[in-house]
């Protein structure tokens, strides 16, 4: 699992999924619906990708 917290400062939204592609899809949808970002451009996609992290697991 990978996870991503919204790239907009102060926004608490986050999502988790196995694939980076699905996380990017959900994130662009969230940016459109919640932040009014109608044009998702390449630099924003790069920022999204850079913020995808492996899901944090508790250390055994
Ligand atoms: Zn957000």
């Amino acid at each position: 699992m990978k996870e991503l917290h919204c790239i907009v400062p102060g926004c608490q939204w986050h999502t988790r999924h196995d694939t980076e592609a699905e996380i990017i899809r959900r994130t662009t949808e969230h940016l459109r619906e919640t932040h009014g970002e109608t044009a998702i451009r390449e630099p924003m996609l790069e920022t999204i990708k850079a913020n995808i992290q492996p899901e944090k697991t508790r250390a055994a």
Side-chain angles (χ1 to χ4, degrees), residues 1-4 14-27 52-55:
M1 290 291 263
K2 301 172 192 300
E3 66 177 21
L4 178 128
H14 64 278
T15 190
R16 270 182 216 150
H17 200 267
D18 287 333
T19 66
E20 194 174 289
E22 177 65 11
I23 289 178
I24 291 169
R25 195 190 65 75
R26 290 182 186 182
T27 304
I52 296 175
Q53 301 168 336
E55 186 182 29

Side-chain angles (χ1 to χ4, degrees), residues 4 6-8 11 13 21-41 44-45 48:
L4 178 128
C6 184
I7 59 173
V8 177
C11 181
W13 184 89
E22 177 65 11
I23 289 178
I24 291 169
R25 195 190 65 75
R26 290 182 186 182
T27 304
T28 53
E29 200 171 273
H30 164 75
L31 288 170
R32 262 200 307 272
E33 292 179 357
T34 304
H35 300 297
E37 293 284 353
T38 51
I40 309 289
R41 297 203 175 88
M44 190 171 283
L45 289 176
I48 291 167

